[in-house]
Structure formats: C-alpha cells, structure tokens
Amino acid sequence: MTTPLFSVEGVNVALPDPNHKSLLGTMPMVEILHDIDLEIEEGSVVGLVGESGSGKSTLGRTLVRLLEPAAGTIRFLDTDISHLDEQAMRPFRRDLQVIFQDPLSALNPRHTIASIIGRPLMLHGLAQNRRAARRLAQEALERVGLPTAFAARYPHELSGGQRQRVGIARAIATQPRFVLADEVVSGLDVSSQAQILTLLDQLKTDLKLTVVFISHDLSVVRRLCDRVVVLRRGEILENRPTAELFEAPAHAYTAELKAAIPLPEVDQGWLASQ
Amino acid sequence: MMADAFLDIADLSIVLRSDRAHRLLRSVDLHVNPGEVRGLVGESGAGKSMIGKTIFDILPRAVEAVEGAVTLGGTDLLALSSNARRREIAAAAALIPQDPLTALNPVRRIEGQITDRLTAILGFSKKAARDRALTLLEEVHINDPERVLRSYPHQLSGGMRQRVLIAAAFAAEPKLIVADEPTTALDVTVQKQILRLIAEMQAHHGTALLFVTHDLGVVAKICQNVTVLFGGKVVEDTDVKGLFAHPAHPYTAALINATPRYDRPDQSLLPVPADVIEATRAEIAKADAEWLSQRGQTLKAAS
Ligand SMILES: Nc1ncnc2c1ncn2[C@@H]1O[C@H](COP(=O)(O)OP(=O)(O)OP(=O)(O)O)[C@@H](O)[C@H]1O
Ligand SMILES: Nc1ncnc2c1ncn2[C@@H]1O[C@H](COP(=O)(O)OP(=O)(O)OP(=O)(O)O)[C@@H](O)[C@H]1O
Ligand SMILES: [Mg+2]
Ligand SMILES: [Mg+2]
C-alpha cells in the first residue's frame, strides 16, 4: 500500500465561543470537530458534504493547517504537520492550495487579477519575473474559461462567478499536489461548472492532483468524487465510495439529503412534500 | 408597463462610464407581480447582479444606467433624487446580496445587523427587535440563535451567514425581495425548508420575489416565470412549464441539457456548445449595432 497523501487520526478542533466574554487570558472554547479519522489517497477526489454548520470548512482549513487541531495528528505524506508553525509550514504551502468559500473576501481588493494569481508564483519561484508571472496568470485564466484581458481588472470589477474562477485559477497556477475546493462551483452557471469539473478531472489524471471538494450540490459530487465523506455536527457519519453511497445510503440523514435534491422537473407539490 | 406588476423594469440599459458604447445590460424588460416568484438565470457574468444593483441604487461607480425605467409599486425610481429613492426602496424592498461575507459588517455583532432594519424602518423597541430577530433566526433553521446574535460574521459558517442575510431581508416585511443566489451555501435539506418559508411569506404578504440562481432544479420547484439572460440581454421570458417543455432560445435549451442530475450519473456533462454561444453573441452584436446607430451621437455627446 502506498502512503496516503493525508492521514488524519483522532482530530479535535476547538474555536473561541462567542457566547462568553473572554476573561483575561482564558478564552472559552467550543469543540467544532470531534475525533476525526480520515485517509486521503493521492490522486483522489473526496467529496465533503453535510449540513450547513457541520464543520466542513473547519475540517478543510485544519487539513491545510490554517487551523491547529486541539488533539490528534495530521500527517501529510511522511510529515506530522499537526503543530508546525507558520515558518515550518512554508515549504508545504505551494502544494496545499485553498479555494475559499467567499471569493471576494479571499481576494485582495487592491491588487489586479494578474498580481493576485502571479505573486504567489514568484514567491514560490515558479516565475522568475513579473512578465513570466503575468503570462502564467493569463494561462490560468484561460483554463478556467475567463478572458485573459481580466488580468488587468480588480476583483470588484468582476461578477461573483468570475471571482470564483479567479480563485480557482490562482490555486491551480502553482501546480499543487492538493487543492481544498470549498463550495467552488455553486456560484457558476452549469456550463462554466462543466468546464471546471472537466478541468479538475484532467488535473487529477495528468498531475495526480488530490482534491477535497466541499459542496452542497450532490449531483456535482456524484459526478466528480471518488469517495464521499458525510459530516454531521462535527463528526464523520459516512465515508464511502460515491456510487455506493448514492445507491444505498447507510444513514437516514444521507437518505434525507438525497430526497431533498430538487431535480429540474416542474413540480408544484415538491415544496410541501416531505 | 404591466398593469399589476410590483416591480417593472422597462428597456433598461446600463453602460461603462469609460466606454458608453459598451453595455452591461441591453434594453432589459423584466417584471414581477405581487406573490409571483420569477427566476433570473443565465451565464456567469450575464448581468444578473447588475439588475439587482440597479433596483437598489448600488451600482458600482464605473457603470451607470443610461436609459429605461425601474418602477416599484407605481413609483418611477430613476426619476427620484438619490435620497428619496433610497427611502422608497428601504420601505418597500429588500436585497439578499450574493456575497454574504462582504455584505455584513465584519466588526459588528450579528444582532445589530438584523435589528437595525426593525428599529429604523418599523419603529420597534430594542427589546422587541431582539425578540423578533431571534424568531427570524429560528425560522431560517438556525439551531442556536442566541449564539448567532452574539457572533461576529467570521465566527459563522458560510450557510449561517447566508441565513442571517435572509432573516435580515425578511425582517421588515418587504413587498419585494431580490434574492441573489441566496441558497448556494445551504445543504439541500435546509434549502428546502428555507424555500418553503419564502413561499409561506409570500402567501401571507403577497411578496414579489426575484430569485437569481444557477440551479434549474430550484427554478423548476419554486418559480412561476423565468427570465433568461445572456450577455446582458434577455433571450427568453417564459413560464416555468414552457422553459422545460419547449425552450424557445437555443441557449436556454443548451443550459437545460448541461444541468447535472444525480439520478443520471452517466450522462456526459457538456458545456453549452460553442456554436450556440457564437450565434447568441452574433444576435447581441446585431442588437447593439442597431442601438448604437440610433444613439451613437447622443451617447458621445453625453460623455
Ligand atoms: N472562527 C470561528 N470562531 C468560532 N466558531 C466558529 C468559527 N468558525 C466557524 N465556527 C463555528 O463552527 C461551526 C462549523 O463551521 P464551518 O464553517 O466549518 O461549517 P460548514 O460545514 O462549512 O458550513 P457551511 O456549509 O454553512 O459553510 C459553526 O457552528 C460555526 O459557527
Ligand atoms: N466595475 C466594472 N467594470 C467593468 N465591468 C464590470 C464591472 N463590474 C462588473 N463588470 C462586468 O459586468 C458583467 C455583469 O456582472 P454581474 O455581476 O451582473 O454578473 P452576474 O450575471 O451576476 O454573474 P454571476 O452569476 O457570476 O454572479 C460581468 O461580465 C462583469 O465582468
Ligand atoms: Mg463552509
Ligand atoms: Mg451575480
């Protein structure tokens, strides 16, 4: 057996509790994730689904160590990265890319799209100078279906779905080994969506890219993911191959999710139905 | 103008100030009756959010409306002064914006961000506004409304922030709600509950709803009528049955074909074909040429 890209064992994550005022020095915490065990094979696409607020984004952010686990271990290949500080994480950053759920807040409003995508490339030594960075940025824009002329624009000059695709372009431009994609196609029309899904599929086949794909769109998850992990209230409820999960959901909650998917067929009684 | 429409947009064009021949909305007609749900769909970048921004007078500085009318409950908004217009809108309509995190003030707790509307518009006392906010959060299926009221936006999940904005929009019981992709961060079970809630609201208050979405499944379940936008131009305006049974425009048909379905995992996912895009663009270029030939001189004179 090959080493998984990620192995997560017994991870708990706690965050500050807004219900309590912080008393000098001691910040009361609430546990958001509880006892998470998870292995992610290199070159696989893992869907992460579940109720809003169940902890999907928190789990994703912990994997790439934007958050630190309170207990348990996270291994990236052979390295235990559970408690590495920012400095020690730096060599991994190029390989661990994140596409955030809120595209506008994740893009620096004062930078052009060219520099938003290009800067990290210079930082990681993938482009020697600005011109090279700009060219790579334009290539990345093309791959996500945006005109290269957008390189000169600022984030606020784009539509929601266009910004979302800039986030995708920035993440794939560094040719990472891993991408956390947090709700990345929900703001896209189905045609742009198809293009992005095809792109992710290609990167997976050509570069063995590994993806954790957080999404509420189960039709897309079914299409794209090799496995699906269902989270509920900070715990893993199911973790199974996609086809199996959809054909025979082991859990009532998973079945409930499936039943609530609106199919594109006119049905006035659907809203009232259970 | 449609006799009974609450929102009536007629012949609306908006342009870039730096290049007034460049239209972002192209002679758009769109109306929503009291109690109606109208879906607004179309490719990313088509101008869906610009329509909402025009109604609420929050267009980016780089663009401006150059012609057309936006009528709300019989009042022509574009004819009003900016102040009068904002007052009119605040009293009658609410927007659920597309980007929840930037729509919320990051350094303020959620409580004030919901109750402001209640105290300012409906004259609620502070205590009454808080109670109402708690009820609203429960209605959008937030489990721990007390905690959410005390939280800052970054302490909430994406879907919780979205529901906070939905609650805030409902707070002042508006006659029109423009919802710009309001359920993208909600799981399907919560989404269904929220859609049901919206339907109930409409039944009670006769709210007109303009629902921007990419999800044709949601369109099929909640909309009576649908406007399809491409490149800032309305390419189809139809009732929902017609949309799925016999789409009139090739772009609409292609959009429906590109919709993934969990019950058909083997159906290949094809983007809208290039020739459909090309033909639609050509149609738009033709309309633009006509529009410009009629107005080219006045447009130049104004800039
Ligand atoms: N910085 C924070 N401080 C305190 N609590 C937080 C913080 N960030 C998230 N939470 C809480 O953690 C829980 C899980 O949030 P998370 O964002 O991981 O959910 P999610 O599954 O991604 O939901 P969604 O689908 O709505 O995006 C929520 O109850 C949220 O309020
Ligand atoms: N300040 C600006 N300058 C130039 N173009 C702009 C500016 N702001 C927006 N645009 C362009 O206007 C068009 C319409 O944008 P809008 O946000 O209305 O799209 P949308 O249909 O809501 O798309 P999405 O589904 O991606 O949210 C887009 O193509 C966008 O790039
Ligand atoms: Mg999330
Ligand atoms: Mg938009």
Side-chain angles (χ1 to χ4, degrees):
Chain A
M1 258 219 37
T2 50
T3 325
L5 194 72
F6 278 105
S7 0
V8 177
E9 260 181 61
V11 159
N12 287 11
V13 175
L15 293 169
D17 185 350
N19 264 337
H20 300 278
K21 296 245 160 61
S22 69
L23 308 165
L24 280 173
T26 62
M27 182 64 110
M29 308 286 270
V30 273
E31 193 175 275
I32 308 283
L33 292 175
H34 182 70
D35 198 16
I36 301 288
D37 292 328
L38 184 63
E39 283 197 348
I40 298 174
E41 294 301 325
E42 178 147 38
S44 68
V45 180
V46 177
L48 192 50
V49 307
E51 241 175 350
S52 165
S54 57
K56 302 180 296 296
S57 298
T58 305
L59 176 54
R61 296 167 74 97
T62 310
L63 271 181
V64 298
R65 281 301 324 283
L66 294 174
L67 292 171
E68 186 173 352
T73 55
I74 302 171
R75 225 180 292 280
F76 177 68
L77 293 170
D78 293 323
T79 317
D80 180 347
I81 59 169
S82 324
H83 304 287
L84 297 186
D85 61 18
E86 233 177 283
Q87 171 88 25
M89 275 305 293
R90 202 159 295 157
F92 299 100
R93 285 292 165 214
R94 178 200 154 182
D95 274 329
L96 302 177
Q97 291 291 315
V98 185
I99 311 163
F100 290 98
Q101 189 169 10
D102 284 273
L104 190 54
S105 55
L107 306 176
N108 188 325
R110 277 181 288 277
H111 290 177
T112 61
I113 303 305
S115 91
I116 285 172
I117 302 174
R119 269 184 178 218
L121 299 178
M122 288 170 64
L123 211 74
H124 296 303
L126 297 166
Q128 302 319 313
N129 51 42
R130 280 189 171 205
R131 184 187 297 169
R134 192 183 176 84
R135 196 173 37 76
L136 289 175
Q138 288 176 338
E139 261 174 47
L141 285 174
E142 270 181 344
R143 297 195 80 174
V144 298
L146 292 175
T148 52
F150 278 17
R153 290 204 193 175
Y154 290 88
H156 71 266
E157 295 175 334
L158 302 180
S159 79
Q162 291 166 346
R163 270 178 221 137
Q164 190 61 271
R165 282 177 284 170
V166 168
I168 298 171
R170 174 175 61 177
I172 62 163
T174 67
Q175 304 190 344
R177 292 178 85 153
F178 175 78
V179 169
L180 167 66
D182 196 346
E183 218 51 89
V184 296
V185 295
S186 58
L188 299 181
D189 62 275
V190 288
S191 186
S192 314
Q193 220 176 65
Q195 196 173 3
I196 296 297
L197 298 183
T198 308
L199 173 65
L200 288 177
D201 247 351
Q202 249 171 30
L203 294 174
K204 176 183 138 172
T205 321
D206 300 350
L207 304 173
K208 278 181 90 183
L209 177 72
T210 309
V211 182
V212 164
F213 190 82
I214 300 178
S215 178
H216 288 301
D217 190 330
L218 298 181
S219 301
V220 170
V221 166
R222 167 142 220 195
R223 175 79 44 164
L224 182 72
C225 300
D226 304 304
R227 296 186 74 84
V228 184
V229 173
V230 185
L231 264 190
R232 186 164 212 200
R233 301 201 182 124
E235 296 187 37
I236 291 182
L237 203 66
E238 297 200 47
N239 173 2
R240 295 164 67 202
T242 308
E244 217 178 85
L245 184 105
F246 274 89
E247 269 135 41
H251 239 275
Y253 175 67
T254 316
E256 220 176 273
L257 273 182
K258 196 177 140 185
I261 302 172
L263 287 172
E265 289 162 0
V266 178
D267 175 4
Q268 306 292 350
W270 180 81
L271 259 192
S273 70
Q274 219 344 278
Chain B
M1 158 172 171
M2 289 290 299
D4 47 2
F6 184 74
L7 169 69
D8 193 327
I9 295 177
D11 206 29
L12 176 69
S13 288
I14 70 173
V15 299
L16 282 180
R17 284 185 203 271
S18 57
D19 174 10
R20 294 164 67 93
H22 183 117
R23 286 195 290 174
L24 296 181
L25 290 180
R26 300 175 147 92
S27 309
V28 167
D29 287 322
L30 184 152
H31 49 84
V32 192
N33 295 338
E36 176 187 348
V37 187
R38 173 169 290 270
L40 178 56
V41 304
E43 59 162 4
S44 163
K48 302 180 297 296
S49 297
M50 287 294 171
I51 291 182
K53 287 176 183 173
T54 310
I55 302 169
F56 288 84
D57 198 19
I58 50 170
L59 281 174
R61 248 171 301 162
V63 309
E64 78 180 306
V66 281
E67 63 184 43
V70 179
T71 311
L72 203 62
T75 311
D76 180 359
L77 291 180
L78 300 187
L80 296 179
S81 74
S82 198
N83 275 343
R85 184 170 169 189
R86 296 244 167 136
R87 234 177 296 127
E88 186 77 28
I89 296 163
L95 173 70
I96 303 171
Q98 187 173 5
D99 202 312
L101 199 51
T102 42
L104 292 164
N105 182 340
V107 296
R108 252 188 108 194
R109 292 182 199 270
I110 297 299
E111 178 167 349
Q113 308 202 43
I114 300 179
T115 58
D116 271 359
R117 305 177 65 89
L118 294 168
T119 47
I121 299 168
L122 299 182
F124 276 53
S125 71
K126 243 189 127 183
K127 165 86 174 64
R130 184 168 205 282
D131 289 344
R132 176 88 178 112
L134 282 173
T135 314
L136 284 164
L137 288 180
E138 269 162 27
E139 281 180 350
V140 294
H141 294 270
I142 285 199
N143 298 327
D144 39 5
E146 294 273 358
R147 168 171 77 95
V148 169
L149 282 190
R150 266 194 286 272
S151 297
Y152 292 96
H154 77 272
Q155 295 176 315
L156 303 179
S157 80
M160 291 161 98
R161 289 194 282 262
Q162 227 169 24
R163 281 177 283 167
V164 163
L165 287 174
I166 293 172
F170 281 18
E173 296 179 358
K175 295 203 174 67
L176 169 75
I177 293 182
V178 177
D180 199 345
E181 303 193 34
T183 60
T184 46
L186 301 180
D187 57 281
V188 285
T189 49
V190 171
Q191 169 176 273
K192 187 167 180 182
Q193 288 157 346
I194 300 264
L195 295 177
R196 203 180 282 150
L197 175 72
I198 292 177
E200 282 164 16
M201 266 255 308
Q202 282 192 295
H204 276 142
H205 305 292
T207 321
L209 176 63
L210 181 61
F211 199 97
V212 180
T213 182
H214 289 298
D215 189 336
L216 291 181
V218 170
V219 168
K221 305 305 185 199
I222 68 161
C223 297
Q224 286 93 51
N225 297 297
V226 184
T227 298
V228 185
L229 203 64
F230 182 98
K233 185 174 183 289
V234 174
V235 294
E236 184 150 1
D237 175 344
T238 176
D239 63 87
V240 69
K241 284 215 178 89
L243 182 88
F244 291 100
H246 37 79
H249 198 279
Y251 176 73
T252 314
L255 209 55
I256 294 170
N257 282 334
T259 300
R261 301 173 53 133
Y262 80 89
D263 60 341
R264 294 181 196 162
D266 300 324
Q267 172 194 330
S268 63
L269 257 196
L270 295 174
V272 173
D275 58 330
V276 173
I277 303 267
E278 283 313 308
T280 315
R281 287 209 179 117
E283 200 182 298
I284 287 173
K286 189 160 159 272
D288 269 3
E290 263 167 46
W291 187 80
L292 266 178
S293 75
Q294 288 161 13
R295 295 168 188 76
Q297 288 315 315
T298 32
L299 269 182
K300 274 201 198 95
S303 57

